[in-house]
Amino acid sequence: MNEIAKKLISWYLVNKRDMPWRNTTDPYKIWLSEIMLQQTRVAQGMPYYLSFINAFPTVHDLAKANEDEVLKLWQGLGYYSRARNLHATAKFVSRELNGLFPNNYNGLLSLKGVGDYTASAIASICFGEPKAVLDGNVFRVLSRVFNIDTPINESIGKKEFALLASELLDKDNPATYNQAIMEFGAIHCKPQSPLCNNCILIDSCQAYKSNRVKELPVKLKKIKIKKVYYNYIVPISHNNDTVLVKRPPKGIWANLFEFPLIESPKEITLSQLVLSDKLKQLGLESNTPVLYNENSIVHKLSHRHIYTKFWIIDVDEISNNKVSFTEIEKYPVPVLIANFIKDFCKNN
DNA sequence: AAAACGGGGTC
DNA sequence: GACCCAGTTTT
């Protein structure tokens, strides 16, 4: 075993955090944890993992659920295609594979929602297959230890780091090694304020030697944030019913529920809202909308800022997509909508 | 190769 | 405000 792998594993055995998915090699649990932790911090994913295992102890239980139930439990975790792919894969494994997950990298890679990282993680942790994981932590640790400034989000960089990662892998113990380098990146070789003054790799770290730790890893192509303007129409009937509609199966918040939505190129006023014939299409032209929030609520996602206004309309009766406020919490909704419902119910 | 896809933590 | 997180899929 190479010297760096040896040090990482020694460090890991002493410093690893105790996590529920670290006490098992059950592919179902490892798979679930890996999907949940894609682009997600452990602290954020943990409560979701526990509630999923509680609700769906086996892949068969998850397979039997409705997609709405799965999305509801996923609510707030983001990247909802993960939840839909999770459910689809559970149904596939339960029904087509007799509940047995593929036991190798290539088989795992064919599952929906399982890419190179996740297939490597499951294959190594559950089956001891010598595949090196390459995630944000590994990019960071390797870029620093070897002082590599190739951009990690371009294909040339991915190839270079993938080669290096597989060379460094301890092929006799890929499960421990992979978790060790990720854990080391997560809690020691952190993005900001890495703990260089007390580091097991201090003698090996080329970036530290060159005082370049802060600059690594290099990532190019900053994402551009788009502004969008959402006007939600919230009908309220006398007996406390409202309307929720299901979003389309593609795009942001796919298959989640929301109030009827009118998008506009910029913020609009009441008169502009009434002029739009959308209200007519919705059959909600009986009464005048009342703006609920004086200032637009800015909901910030990584790639867009959503400027949101909620408009309340009193109506006599609701014909389509009727939802009672007493049952509204059963529907999976974006955090933006959940926040509104919470605030609205507090004040009414 | 680039864009789309969430929400929350940290500095 | 900018960056990042146990990335994958679609365009």
Side-chain angles (χ1 to χ4, degrees):
Chain A
M1 193 192 330
N2 66 76
E3 217 42 45
I4 290 174
K6 203 177 292 182
K7 287 180 178 169
L8 284 170
I9 288 176
S10 304
W11 175 90
Y12 177 68
L13 295 177
V14 175
N15 294 284
K16 67 176 177 181
R17 295 166 289 181
D18 188 24
M19 298 196 261
W21 50 86
R22 287 206 166 132
N23 303 317
T24 179
T25 56
D26 177 358
Y28 171 65
K29 292 179 176 174
I30 300 300
W31 164 73
L32 178 61
S33 71
E34 292 299 346
I35 300 295
M36 283 186 163
L37 293 177
Q38 289 167 2
Q39 293 290 283
T40 304
R41 286 163 204 281
V42 168
Q44 188 186 3
M46 180 76 79
Y48 288 85
Y49 174 83
L50 295 173
S51 68
F52 265 75
I53 290 296
N54 184 49
F56 313 119
T58 72
V59 69
H60 301 295
D61 301 309
L62 180 54
K64 281 184 283 189
N66 302 317
E67 184 178 280
D68 283 352
E69 297 176 54
V70 178
L71 286 172
K72 183 63 194 179
L73 273 186
W74 199 273
Q75 181 179 312
L77 199 54
Y79 284 162
Y80 297 93
S81 67
R82 291 184 294 171
R84 300 195 312 278
N85 286 332
L86 183 86
H87 188 221
T89 291
K91 288 198 279 190
F92 175 71
V93 170
S94 172
R95 294 165 194 180
E96 308 296 329
L97 303 183
N98 208 14
L100 295 177
F101 277 81
N103 65 355
N104 59 74
Y105 172 85
N106 285 313
L108 290 159
L109 191 59
S110 70
L111 301 174
K112 279 187 186 175
V114 175
D116 178 60
Y117 162 78
T118 305
S120 300
I122 301 173
S124 61
I125 293 172
C126 299
F127 307 113
E129 187 172 342
K131 293 288 285 187
V133 293
L134 193 50
D135 75 331
N137 294 306
V138 177
F139 276 120
R140 186 167 53 256
V141 172
L142 296 184
S143 71
R144 288 172 175 173
V145 171
F146 295 95
N147 194 12
I148 300 170
D149 57 10
T150 315
I152 63 169
N153 55 349
E154 294 187 345
S155 52
I156 176 73
K158 286 177 187 168
K159 276 183 197 165
E160 182 176 356
F161 281 97
L163 181 61
L164 181 55
S166 50
E167 286 173 354
L168 214 54
L169 173 71
D170 175 10
K171 294 177 178 57
D172 294 325
N173 199 351
T176 306
Y177 170 82
N178 274 338
Q179 295 182 83
I181 190 169
M182 288 193 285
E183 186 79 336
F184 183 73
I187 68 180
H188 198 100
C189 193
K190 298 181 291 181
Q192 294 152 315
S193 317
L195 311 175
C196 298
N197 56 350
N198 176 28
C199 181
I200 51 161
L201 298 181
I202 197 72
D203 295 328
S204 320
C205 187
Q206 301 300 313
Y208 182 77
K209 213 170 283 180
S210 313
N211 198 24
R212 299 228 306 149
V213 173
K214 295 191 306 295
E215 306 164 31
L216 298 169
V218 172
K219 197 182 274 188
L220 296 162
K221 292 178 264 184
K222 287 183 185 111
I223 63 159
K224 207 175 107 197
I225 294 172
K226 197 196 310 180
K227 291 183 181 178
V228 296
Y229 300 87
Y230 281 10
N231 298 274
Y232 280 113
I233 309 303
V234 185
I236 305 290
S237 75
H238 304 309
N239 46 346
N240 246 2
D241 290 330
T242 186
V243 172
L244 286 182
V245 292
K246 195 170 196 159
R247 288 186 61 92
K250 290 201 170 195
I252 187 174
W253 300 331
N255 286 7
L256 272 64
F257 288 82
E258 64 184 0
F259 300 105
L261 169 64
I262 298 174
E263 283 196 61
S264 55
K266 54 180 185 175
E267 289 193 18
I268 57 174
T269 62
L270 173 60
S271 50
Q272 290 172 305
L273 183 72
V274 174
L275 279 175
S276 93
D277 55 17
K278 276 279 197 170
L279 284 179
K280 200 175 298 181
Q281 294 172 22
L282 293 167
L284 295 171
E285 48 183 343
S286 48
N287 276 308
T288 304
V290 176
L291 183 58
Y292 180 75
N293 52 313
E294 202 53 49
N295 301 313
S296 284
I297 294 164
V298 188
H299 189 71
K300 295 180 177 177
L301 307 178
S302 50
H303 55 299
R304 70 179 83 177
H305 287 179
I306 304 174
Y307 291 75
T308 315
K309 288 181 174 178
F310 291 92
W311 304 85
I312 312 296
I313 303 187
D314 286 322
V315 298
D316 292 332
E317 201 170 343
I318 287 163
S319 44
N320 295 331
N321 305 108
K322 179 168 72 176
V323 171
S324 166
F325 266 93
T326 61
E327 299 212 322
I328 199 167
E329 64 186 33
K330 294 180 180 173
Y331 291 77
V333 297
V335 167
L336 173 64
I337 301 298
N339 288 345
F340 166 80
I341 292 170
K342 197 173 168 188
D343 192 74
F344 182 81
C345 290
K346 176 160 61 77
N347 297 322
N348 287 273

